[in-house]
Amino acid sequence: MSTIAATTAIAIPQPSAKASTREWIAVLAGMIGAFMAILNIQITNASLLDIEGGIGTGVDNGAWISTSYLIGEIVVIPLTAFFSNVFSFRRYILVNSILFPLLSIACAFAHDLGTMIVLRGLQGFAGGVLIPMAFTMILTKLPKAQQPTGLAIFALSVTVAPAIGPTIGGYLTENYGWQTIFFINALPSAIMAIALALTLEKGPLQLGLLKHGDWAGIVTMAIGLSALQTVLEEGNKDDWFSSPFILKLSTIAVVSLSAFIWIELTVQNPLVKLRLLKQRNFGIGVLVNVLVGFALFGSVYILPQYLGQVQRYNAEQIGNVLAWTGLPQLILIPLVPVMMKRFDVRYIGFLGIAIFAISCFMNVTLSADTAGDQFWIPNIVRAIGQAMVITPITAITTAGIAPADAAAASGLTNMLRNLGGAVGTATLGTVLTKREQFHSNIIGQSVTLARDEVRERLTQTTNYFLSHGVSDHALAAQKATVALGSIIKRQALIMGFSDTFAVIGILLATAAIATLFARKPQPGGGAGAH
């Protein structure tokens, strides 16, 4: 392999017939890092109001606490393959496994929004490294026969971490204060760093590779993804393209990402190997991963929003409801490699995504009485489906990928899954807003003073206020009108949430069908399987 070509592949020996204990320890340590990095995407979501109050910022600005982390993570994931060659795989992952908890702890001491945004962005930049490197270790340290087991462990990170993130964050915030959610990374990260230091082979610095780096691709990608992520996170709040800020950022994103794609398809040694998408299974697998990322992160975003806005749940109560989408997977996911040995992975993936879709369609008939208990069965169904998704889909995606391309494939797959999640939360936020307005208009057209039941309801509510301390009849009538308006708004909001679950279900149905168009991987498929 030439010096330049080495920039796109991790220089790790190909796995032998059976992974050693040392290699398994390294892989498991890497999984800790991936789990913590993905957990931290969601851990602040249930606690944003508390954090905003703690650092003295408004509700709208608080969204940047999550946005900055996602920007750092999405930008760094594709850079990992290149920088891990420059600084060596061992050195690069160790440095970031130490920086990640340190930056997390620093967030707990932030006293203003600007400092929090910077620290969260840097934490995301460190955490984003841990996700593809854990994935790469599965494909380079484990033989094909053992890769399904490794992928099942990775699936725990991808699906369980987002589900239990709000649970952990909500519990810690309600009982010990929001600062504690930034301290939980310390002990797992210390264990990870020690294990990796003892098990990974030392590699040389290759600073000379920096001269051959795809710097034009790096710059355009970083600018484009940062602008796109900001547009996705802030667009709905600012009414999208009616905002000059969003319009300018959208233009920057389109120009930068178009230039990035052109560069990656024309340079000899691209930062991101977009040509891998020409491979049938990889292209289909990435598409399915994007749609699954949309659904996975989107559902974790929508359900807490519903419970908080409609049912007025606090952070801990929201976390308790979401826990039932995560805990069952701890039992189910380890069984998936056994299923993959007996059944076609395409059918396992199809079934898992279909069950996930069904769980979303179970939530399209929400009502004012739908609260935590009513989500128990849909969440269990969703957990069953999610447990059967990531491992087989990853096996399909990596079938036919050479070990030399493992890091590039890992970076591209994980970046696009997270980007799919970002698109999902932004799209669903917009769908919720627009559909709430639509339903509010429809209901409002029916609730008029021309109808006897409306006048009767207003009279009853007016009398209620008059008998409960309001002496002025005009004021009581005004309060009755406001109360009726609130009921209409709440019902429209509930119907809007129902529509968002329908959107997620439809996209998952599309992903399930797409899975069937992939070629059947060989048993024990993974990198290197044809």
Side-chain angles (χ1 to χ4, degrees):
M1 182 181 294
S2 67
T3 301
I4 298 177
T7 63
T8 58
I10 300 293
I12 297 177
Q14 294 187 22
S16 58
K18 187 177 181 181
S20 65
T21 301
R22 177 172 176 166
E23 288 169 326
W24 269 112
I25 292 174
V27 169
L28 293 174
M31 292 306 113
I32 294 175
F35 181 88
M36 298 306 296
I38 297 173
L39 180 77
N40 274 261
I41 298 174
Q42 300 292 344
I43 199 168
T44 60
N45 282 3
S47 311
L48 271 183
L49 290 176
D50 297 272
I51 298 173
E52 289 160 356
I55 61 177
T57 186
V59 174
D60 289 342
N61 292 329
W64 279 99
I65 297 168
S66 297
T67 301
S68 57
Y69 183 91
L70 277 171
I71 290 174
E73 192 168 81
I74 287 176
V75 168
V76 79
I77 286 176
L79 299 174
T80 301
F82 174 62
F83 285 126
S84 59
N85 273 286
V86 173
F87 301 110
S88 85
F89 189 97
R90 180 179 185 272
R91 186 178 287 107
Y92 192 52
I93 194 171
L94 278 177
V95 168
N96 283 282
S97 66
I98 294 169
L99 285 176
F100 177 70
L102 291 179
L103 290 165
S104 178
I105 292 170
C107 290
F109 296 97
H111 295 292
D112 59 82
L113 180 64
T115 304
M116 178 66 83
I117 289 173
V118 171
L119 290 173
R120 281 286 284 173
L122 292 174
Q123 187 195 0
F125 205 80
V129 170
L130 305 177
I131 301 171
M133 296 192 89
F135 189 88
T136 300
M137 281 196 282
I138 295 172
L139 303 184
T140 54
K141 288 190 170 294
L142 301 181
K144 286 184 286 184
Q146 292 182 311
Q147 284 179 14
T149 303
L151 294 175
I153 300 170
F154 184 77
L156 286 171
S157 302
V158 175
T159 60
V160 176
I164 68 171
T167 305
I168 296 173
Y171 174 80
L172 291 175
T173 299
E174 289 296 320
N175 293 280
Y176 303 104
W178 64 266
Q179 291 90 344
T180 54
I181 67 177
F182 295 110
F183 289 110
I184 67 166
N185 298 307
L187 181 59
S189 297
I191 295 171
M192 170 182 61
I194 293 170
L196 291 173
L198 295 174
T199 55
L200 289 180
E201 304 87 354
K202 293 183 179 180
L205 282 170
Q206 300 185 73
L207 298 180
L209 296 178
L210 292 172
K211 293 187 296 184
H212 304 291
D214 178 16
W215 291 106
I218 290 173
V219 171
T220 52
M221 182 204 70
I223 294 174
L225 286 179
S226 298
L228 176 61
Q229 181 64 44
T230 305
V231 167
L232 292 173
E233 291 291 320
E234 301 295 313
N236 188 48
K237 183 189 72 175
D238 295 341
D239 199 19
W240 294 103
F241 300 116
S242 62
S243 164
F245 173 69
I246 295 298
L247 190 60
K248 290 176 183 177
L249 277 184
S250 300
T251 303
I252 293 171
V254 169
V255 172
S256 298
L257 292 177
S258 297
F260 168 70
I261 292 171
W262 180 80
I263 291 168
E264 299 311 285
L265 293 175
T266 54
V267 299
Q268 184 179 357
N269 298 288
L271 171 71
V272 178
K273 289 188 175 181
L274 296 179
R275 297 184 185 92
L276 291 174
L277 293 171
K278 294 180 180 178
Q279 297 186 28
R280 179 171 166 179
N281 274 27
F282 187 76
I284 291 174
V286 166
L287 171 63
V288 173
N289 265 299
V290 170
L291 294 175
V292 168
F294 183 109
L296 184 64
F297 289 96
S299 56
V300 173
Y301 165 75
I302 284 296
L303 186 51
Q305 290 291 317
Y306 171 82
L307 293 171
Q309 292 184 36
V310 176
Q311 302 299 343
R312 302 301 178 187
Y313 276 32
N314 63 30
E316 185 175 1
Q317 291 172 318
I318 291 171
N320 291 337
V321 175
L322 288 179
W324 285 105
T325 63
L327 296 178
Q329 294 182 64
L330 296 173
I331 300 171
L332 297 172
I333 286 179
L335 302 178
V336 175
V338 178
M339 296 172 60
M340 291 171 63
K341 293 179 181 179
R342 302 187 61 182
F343 304 102
D344 189 326
V345 294
R346 296 173 300 175
Y347 301 145
I348 298 173
F350 172 84
L351 181 61
I353 297 173
I355 293 174
F356 190 178
I358 289 170
S359 74
C360 294
F361 287 126
M362 292 173 72
N363 291 331
V364 299
T365 56
L366 298 176
S367 71
D369 296 325
T370 306
D373 292 343
Q374 285 68 46
F375 284 107
W376 190 77
I377 293 177
N379 283 355
I380 292 291
V381 173
R382 176 179 151 195
I384 295 171
Q386 285 185 185
M388 299 167 60
V389 172
I390 297 298
T391 309
I393 296 306
T394 305
I396 291 171
T397 307
T398 57
I401 298 295
D405 290 329
S410 169
L412 186 56
T413 302
N414 285 287
M415 177 193 73
L416 290 176
R417 184 194 299 115
N418 281 16
L419 193 59
V423 172
T425 54
T427 301
L428 292 173
T430 301
V431 169
L432 177 61
T433 300
K434 300 301 181 185
R435 295 301 292 177
E436 180 194 355
Q437 293 171 353
F438 170 79
H439 290 300
S440 182
N441 290 335
I442 296 299
I443 297 173
Q445 291 172 9
S446 301
V447 182
T448 67
L449 291 175
R451 299 183 61 172
D452 292 338
E453 56 267 38
V454 174
R455 293 197 299 271
E456 183 179 348
R457 178 62 178 266
L458 286 174
T459 299
Q460 291 174 348
T461 310
T462 301
N463 291 334
Y464 170 84
F465 284 118
L466 287 172
S467 62
H468 286 77
V470 179
S471 57
D472 183 12
H473 188 279
L475 179 59
Q478 181 185 8
K479 284 181 172 290
T481 303
V482 171
L484 182 60
S486 297
I487 293 172
I488 294 172
K489 179 178 175 58
R490 184 167 186 255
Q491 185 58 42
L493 182 62
I494 292 170
M495 296 172 75
F497 276 110
S498 295
D499 293 342
T500 62
F501 281 109
V503 170
I504 298 173
I506 291 169
L507 288 178
L508 283 170
T510 304
I513 295 170
T515 303
L516 299 178
F517 287 90
R519 290 192 180 95
K520 180 181 179 180
Q522 290 182 349
H530 294 282

